[in-house]
Amino acid sequence: MVEHIDITLIDWSRAQFALTAIYHWIFVPLTLGLAFIVAIMETIYVKTGNPEWKKVTKFWMTLFGINFAIGVATGIILEFQFGTNWSNYSWFVGDIFGAPLAIEGIMAFFLESTFIAVMFFGWNKVSKQFHLTASWLTAIGANLSALWILVANAWMQFPVGMQFNPDTTRNEMVDFWAVLFSPVAVNKFLHTISSGYVTASVFVLGISAWFLLKKRHTLLAQRSILVAGIFGLASSLFLAFTGDGSAYQVSQKQPMKLAAMEGLYQGRQGAGLVAFGILDPSKQQGDGKEAFLFKVEFPKLLSFLGYRNPDAFVPGVDNIISGGYKPQFDHVDPMEQARTFSAEEKIIRGKKAVAALGAYREAKAADDRATMDLALQELKANFPWFGYAYLNAPQSIIPNVPLTFYSFHIMVYLGFYFILLFTVVLYLAVKGKLEHQRWLLWLSLWTIPFVYLASEAGWVVAEVGRQPWVIQDLMPVMAAVSKIDATSVIITFWLFAAVFTVLLIAEMMIMIKQIKLGPKDGGTK
Amino acid sequence: MFETMSIETLQAYWWIIISILGSLLVFLMFVQGGQTLIYTIGKTEPERKMLVNALGRKWEFTFTTLVTFGGAFFASFPLFYSTSFGGAYWVWMAILFPFIIQAVAYEFRSKPNNFLGHKTYEWFLIINGLLGTVLIGTAVATFFTGSAFSVNKSALTNLLDPAISRWQHPAHGLEAVLNWRNVALGLAVFFLARVLGILYFMNTIDDENILTRSKKQLVINTIPFLVFFLAFTGALLTMPGFAVRPQTGVVFGESLKYFHNLVQMPMVMLLFAAGVVFVLLGVALPLISFEKNASSGIWYAGAGTILTVFALFCLAGFNNTAYYPSTYDIQSSLTIHNSSSSHYTLTAMSYVSLLVPFVIAYIWYAWKAINSKKIDAAEMEEGGHAY
């Protein structure tokens, strides 16, 4: 058999995972946030006993149900794709990665699926309090499921709490709490769920604004705007706070991703944050050309945000490739604390680690203890760069810079825009002047697609920005992919694309119709 | 508590958890079985609405159990996850696609402006019911009959071709349908799911026409179920199996292995026999005295299904048996010892497993609350949430 790395297979496997993740993420944020908004509305209904709040609750709950079903449909595919398309990965880190997935099922999915049935079918079958509890438990279940899958994702970005076992050729968990409470995991969870809350708030705000424009269901719209405005403003402020925390983690643990987010090729002390910039599409790493055709910067802000020091040195793409700078965080391997290795040196060390693993296993088969010990020492010394062995050039560690840069900036611009929008809307709503500002109502409606854009852009930054790694520094995509023919993956890619697209169209058509129909029994003044 | 257990004990504990989840999944596939009968038992639109709504209140349990089964298998036996899912690519994809379309079918079916029309969504349910049951049954049968794959953990050191698990048949899992034993189990699961679906309708729906047709269909579907189940069981107990030498981990062929397992594990034999008796009881009681037993058949047959499937998983994984045998390279066969997670992970996961009784308790409580009154035509017209 001819041995080779099948680039087509890797690209299509990545595309299939990206496709599924993008579709899944169209539906999940709304579920995360709308579940809480509905629960808050129902709480007001139960506290006040006012039936108008019940109508408000039931209307949004209907939209929640339509969205929830398709989120579930895309979610099951993601879980199984770890096995179907990334089988080597599944063994190499399954000992750590599988646990959060299983806990997600046991702890979160059952909670969600049990109580969502009570939410929808229990109105006349269970007490008010039990129904309200079910609504809150559904929201908690949805957010708990986000916790576990995000812990798993964070671990891929910053692997902790594990040890490589050469006998089983896999990483094994040694500290569950380190995995769960890794600072990357905590930040990622908080940032991601708050992005879901903002998505749902914009969704509720936009649709309610449309009702006001059409002068229909105005009471429902006013009340919904109040809940979404408060929830949205609090969530978008928290989103900015956790976004800062996430970027701070990235600068420590994934400096190449940070460099791509800012289009920073030549690192410098007191680096500025790009406020607006257009990248030169012809820019190549190491060509010495300026990366930007045009840019406006906030001086020293990147150093300050990334390192909490306005004069800190921020490495760029070129620096990370060539190495030799002093890293500013102490979590890096002791061998790199004085100066970082070049990518080329890391590849050499990675190859040493892999060769040592081979030598260890051969020696073990021959029961040659002395060689085993030597090989093990060599493996341990070079394991932090294990994944580099599979790369064919130092430049392989550079992600798609333009895609990461523009996605990051679009996400940030929109994030601040949402804060402004919620502030203005809430102020005018409280003053009772919102209904007269038709331009603002139209703006609120047309913000809905942009909140989805921001949310997807965030994941593009997180996932494209860490390429080629499936597990940072330890396993690149080419070592993780399943041994199947590319044609099979191409066929399933198009099948998924067709099915997901048809279902998305159906979902949007149903959703728009339900919105136009409005609440089943009134909701007007 | 779990820390002090040996790795072998934890591996056995997790095989039991997987077996419980697998057996619950097969029981909950009454939803799939019922989906294949919506046109057979429901002759009018209001009747079909009642059938779909009866199933629609439970479909997520089946779906969630499938997802949890996958997650738990990944966490406890990751080499199976990587070998089977990455290798038998097409069979797993053929199983997953019908579950995508099922998930939206209930919610979208009766909604206005649903793009594809309600009949399309009903056919989504039928496709899911047919393929989901037959293919899962067929895939599980390969736990006994084997598949063509190899596992080489040293492959990771080959920088140009590092795949550890490799499937050795170009059909990537679909070749399982060429073995009649696999298909027999697939069809047995299909007809069992239909029997369970019918019994669930009897338990949940209050409509004379539906109950009359359900009773007729119960007989029609029990006969092929028994034929395929007995054919598979007969084949299983007479075929050679894949045994493991406990000291060395070497896998070898042993004639009548699964028969030996049954005899050497009397508790499993008891569970298996009790399971079969309960399933038959669940079918027979409503046929003998319909008025009295129409509602309770599902509980007998459900309990019987859980016990039988649990016993089958025990036959596959315990008593020094390779639960996922390789017909290409017998030493690549997966056992609960060579494919499991580490002691630490199994310990951590075992603590999480303590939540399972609580999960079952709240599911039971919610189920009772929602099913406190049977579904009838009047409820469908009330205007509450309905599919």
Side-chain angles (χ1 to χ4, degrees):
Chain A
M1 188 188 288
V2 179
E3 292 177 349
H4 64 283
I5 290 178
D6 187 344
I7 301 296
T8 315
L9 171 68
I10 295 164
D11 287 346
W12 281 97
S13 299
R14 283 184 61 201
Q16 179 164 294
F17 202 87
L19 174 89
T20 316
I22 286 168
Y23 269 98
H24 188 50
W25 197 248
I26 294 174
F27 313 108
V28 173
L30 188 60
T31 298
L32 292 176
L34 203 51
F36 274 124
I37 290 179
V38 166
I40 291 167
M41 289 167 169
E42 191 178 343
T43 305
I44 300 173
Y45 160 61
V46 172
K47 290 273 178 204
T48 62
N50 183 344
E52 282 298 331
W53 277 106
K54 187 177 179 183
K55 286 173 197 165
V56 176
T57 306
K58 286 182 92 168
F59 172 70
W60 294 110
M61 197 179 276
T62 304
L63 302 188
F64 173 80
I66 296 163
N67 179 73
F68 180 82
I70 193 163
V72 170
T74 46
I76 192 171
I77 304 303
L78 268 187
E79 182 195 5
F80 284 99
Q81 271 186 21
F82 291 115
T84 55
N85 293 87
W86 307 100
S87 73
N88 242 25
Y89 164 88
S90 295
W91 174 247
F92 191 62
V93 296
D95 195 64
I96 306 121
F97 191 84
L101 254 66
I103 299 172
E104 186 185 18
I106 294 169
M107 198 181 267
F109 286 152
F110 277 112
L111 195 66
E112 207 177 350
S113 60
T114 302
F115 289 103
I116 202 170
V118 179
M119 246 173 108
F120 282 98
F121 298 105
W123 282 108
N124 300 320
K125 293 185 172 163
V126 300
S127 69
K128 261 188 190 180
Q129 276 68 26
F130 182 27
H131 193 278
L132 179 64
T133 309
S135 297
W136 278 102
L137 288 175
T138 303
I140 291 167
N143 282 267
L144 263 182
S145 100
L147 168 71
W148 291 107
I149 195 65
L150 292 167
V151 163
N153 180 278
W155 185 84
M156 295 160 81
Q157 319 264 352
F158 179 53
V160 285
M162 90 297 184
Q163 193 173 304
F164 184 72
N165 181 344
D167 295 322
T168 53
T169 64
R170 67 174 178 191
N171 292 281
E172 295 178 353
M173 184 153 57
V174 294
D175 187 349
F176 177 79
W177 303 111
V179 174
L180 178 58
F181 293 117
S182 134
V184 176
V186 172
N187 256 290
K188 184 170 276 290
F189 170 64
L190 296 175
H191 189 56
T192 311
I193 58 161
S194 47
S195 82
Y197 303 161
V198 172
T199 303
S201 301
V202 169
F203 180 83
V204 172
L205 169 65
I207 291 165
S208 304
W210 184 77
F211 282 145
L212 290 182
L213 283 164
K214 297 286 170 189
K215 301 197 187 309
R216 292 168 54 193
H217 317 302
T218 45
L219 186 60
L220 175 140
Q222 287 164 347
R223 292 186 169 175
S224 300
I225 285 174
L226 206 62
V227 174
I230 296 169
F231 191 60
L233 181 60
S235 303
S236 53
L237 287 168
F238 190 63
L239 186 65
F241 173 70
T242 53
D244 169 64
S246 286
Y248 183 56
Q249 293 300 329
V250 167
S251 66
Q252 295 179 44
K253 278 97 186 183
Q254 296 172 301
M256 181 60 92
K257 187 194 280 185
L258 186 79
M261 283 157 65
E262 278 296 293
L264 184 70
Y265 280 82
Q266 283 292 331
R268 57 183 181 274
Q269 287 185 320
L273 187 79
V274 178
F276 179 77
I278 297 172
L279 287 164
D280 181 348
S282 67
K283 168 71 186 168
Q284 297 286 321
Q285 188 273 325
D287 64 4
K289 280 167 63 176
E290 174 54 43
F292 287 88
L293 295 173
F294 170 78
K295 73 171 171 181
V296 179
E297 277 190 350
F298 296 114
K300 298 199 174 195
L301 196 55
L302 183 60
S303 289
F304 178 71
L305 292 176
Y307 294 82
R308 305 300 191 236
N309 171 4
D311 296 316
F313 175 77
V314 183
V317 174
D318 293 345
N319 309 93
I320 296 165
I321 294 287
S322 58
Y325 65 90
K326 185 174 171 5
Q328 314 219 355
F329 294 104
D330 57 8
H331 80 274
V332 297
D333 189 84
M335 292 172 75
E336 282 197 278
Q337 274 175 3
R339 65 159 192 98
T340 55
F341 294 145
S342 68
E344 202 168 350
E345 195 170 345
K346 288 177 183 175
I347 291 174
I348 292 167
R349 286 178 179 272
K351 286 186 194 294
K352 278 185 185 169
V354 171
L357 174 64
Y360 172 85
R361 292 182 66 81
E362 277 177 22
K364 193 180 178 201
D367 202 20
D368 176 355
R369 301 252 164 204
T371 310
M372 277 169 70
D373 289 344
L374 281 174
L376 204 54
Q377 280 177 24
E378 176 86 344
L379 174 62
K380 277 185 180 166
N382 294 291
F383 187 74
W385 307 279
F386 189 88
Y388 285 82
Y390 301 92
L391 306 176
N392 45 23
Q395 285 72 18
S396 305
I397 63 167
I398 306 172
N400 185 322
V401 175
L403 188 54
T404 312
F405 172 84
Y406 290 118
S407 299
F408 174 63
H409 284 80
I410 287 169
M411 174 187 74
V412 173
Y413 298 147
L414 288 172
F416 282 106
Y417 160 67
F418 300 142
I419 294 174
L420 184 67
L421 179 72
F422 284 124
T423 308
V424 174
V425 165
L426 202 55
Y427 173 78
L428 291 171
V430 171
K431 292 277 177 192
K433 294 176 180 170
L434 183 62
E435 285 164 71
H436 310 297
Q437 308 294 328
R438 292 183 66 82
W439 67 272
L440 187 58
L441 296 175
W442 280 115
L443 188 69
S444 298
L445 177 63
W446 286 108
T447 298
I448 294 176
F450 289 96
V451 79
Y452 285 94
L453 177 67
S455 203
E456 296 283 0
W459 274 113
V460 170
V461 175
E463 300 303 299
V464 174
R466 69 163 155 131
Q467 290 302 315
W469 304 112
V470 281
I471 304 145
Q472 186 71 37
D473 295 343
L474 298 183
M475 183 174 252
V477 281
M478 49 285 261
V481 74
S482 298
K483 185 79 179 169
I484 37 179
D485 53 307
T487 315
S488 292
V489 183
I490 293 170
I491 294 169
T492 52
F493 172 91
W494 288 112
L495 284 172
F496 282 126
V499 171
F500 291 157
T501 306
V502 167
L503 296 184
L504 175 65
I505 293 168
E507 196 242 14
M508 288 176 71
M509 285 174 62
I510 293 169
M511 193 81 97
I512 290 167
K513 184 72 183 176
Q514 287 294 321
I515 292 164
K516 284 183 175 167
L517 288 172
K520 268 188 181 159
D521 38 6
T524 45
K525 261 180 183 168
Chain B
M1 175 166 88
F2 292 105
E3 292 89 339
T4 54
M5 288 182 180
S6 68
I7 180 86
E8 289 78 14
T9 308
L10 287 169
Q11 286 161 337
Y13 177 76
W14 270 93
W15 188 253
I16 288 171
I17 301 255
I18 294 294
S19 305
I20 292 171
L21 284 169
S23 53
L24 284 173
L25 177 63
V26 177
F27 161 55
L28 289 166
M29 283 204 288
F30 73 78
V31 171
Q32 273 65 27
Q35 285 169 187
T36 63
L37 290 160
I38 52 176
Y39 283 109
T40 315
I41 293 179
K43 294 294 180 192
T44 64
E45 180 50 35
E47 286 171 0
R48 277 196 288 277
K49 195 173 176 74
M50 278 187 271
L51 294 173
V52 170
N53 275 276
L55 298 169
R57 294 175 189 191
K58 307 296 171 207
W59 76 269
E60 284 193 49
F61 289 127
T62 319
F63 202 93
T64 305
T65 306
L66 174 63
V67 174
T68 306
F69 178 74
F73 227 140
F74 192 4
S76 50
F77 300 100
L79 194 54
F80 169 80
Y81 204 81
S82 111
T83 303
S84 180
F85 286 89
Y89 186 81
W90 276 111
V91 82
W92 289 114
M93 285 294 170
I95 289 170
L96 290 175
F97 269 100
F99 278 93
I100 306 176
I101 55 179
Q102 184 215 20
V104 295
Y106 285 105
E107 191 65 39
F108 289 6
R109 174 184 167 272
S110 65
K111 292 277 189 301
N113 209 28
N114 66 9
F115 185 43
L116 301 173
H118 76 278
K119 276 209 178 310
T120 308
Y121 293 105
E122 284 165 5
W123 274 99
F124 282 178
L125 294 178
I126 293 169
I127 292 167
N128 170 258
L130 177 68
L131 291 182
T133 51
V134 172
L135 290 176
I136 286 179
T138 304
V140 169
T142 63
F143 281 30
F144 302 99
T145 58
S147 310
F149 64 85
S150 61
V151 175
N152 173 17
K153 289 173 187 166
S154 291
L156 197 64
T157 60
N158 181 344
L159 297 178
L160 292 176
D161 198 13
I164 287 169
S165 302
R166 289 151 198 266
W167 208 256
Q168 302 291 349
H169 194 287
H172 279 283
L174 292 179
E175 72 278 7
V177 300
L178 299 176
N179 184 329
W180 72 268
R181 295 172 190 87
N182 298 341
V183 179
L185 186 60
L187 290 172
V189 170
F190 170 68
F191 285 107
L192 173 64
R194 280 165 71 96
V195 167
L196 292 170
I198 293 162
L199 292 171
Y200 173 70
F201 292 145
M202 291 176 169
N203 170 277
T204 313
I205 299 174
D206 182 13
D207 183 274
E208 208 176 321
N209 288 335
I210 287 178
L211 291 179
T212 308
R213 285 187 212 117
S214 293
K215 196 176 168 186
K216 189 178 155 202
Q217 282 299 322
L218 186 60
V219 179
I220 292 172
N221 285 282
T222 300
I223 294 166
F225 159 65
L226 286 175
V227 169
F228 289 116
F229 177 72
L230 291 174
F232 175 77
T233 308
L236 181 69
L237 297 180
T238 52
M239 68 193 252
F242 298 80
V244 189
R245 286 191 214 291
Q247 301 82 1
T248 58
V250 169
V251 182
F252 61 99
E254 181 185 317
S255 61
L256 300 177
K257 172 63 180 162
Y258 302 107
F259 176 73
H260 292 158
N261 281 0
L262 199 65
V263 173
Q264 288 161 8
M265 296 189 286
M267 187 52 120
V268 173
M269 194 194 311
L270 194 68
L271 290 176
F272 189 80
V276 173
V277 169
F278 271 103
V279 170
L280 294 176
L281 213 54
V283 174
L285 286 175
L287 294 177
I288 295 165
S289 172
F290 190 77
E291 298 294 319
K292 204 172 149 195
N293 298 315
S295 291
S296 57
I298 182 69
W299 301 122
Y300 286 101
T305 301
I306 291 170
L307 292 178
T308 310
V309 177
F310 180 79
L312 277 176
F313 270 89
C314 291
L315 288 182
F318 287 142
N319 201 35
N320 301 316
T321 311
Y323 73 87
Y324 201 60
S326 170
T327 51
Y328 174 82
D329 166 27
I330 194 168
Q331 298 314 325
S332 289
S333 301
L334 307 188
T335 69
I336 62 172
H337 303 301
N338 72 12
S339 65
S340 86
S341 282
S342 64
H343 188 277
Y344 183 93
T345 296
L346 290 177
T347 302
M349 291 298 305
S350 298
Y351 280 106
V352 176
S353 74
L354 296 177
L355 288 172
V356 170
F358 294 100
V359 173
I360 292 173
Y362 72 65
I363 289 175
W364 182 250
Y365 184 71
W367 182 306
K368 296 283 276 184
I370 295 296
N371 280 39
S372 55
K373 180 182 160 296
K374 290 198 178 200
I375 290 175
D376 55 21
E379 187 187 342
M380 293 294 98
E381 288 163 16
E382 273 173 13
H385 191 85
Y387 296 127

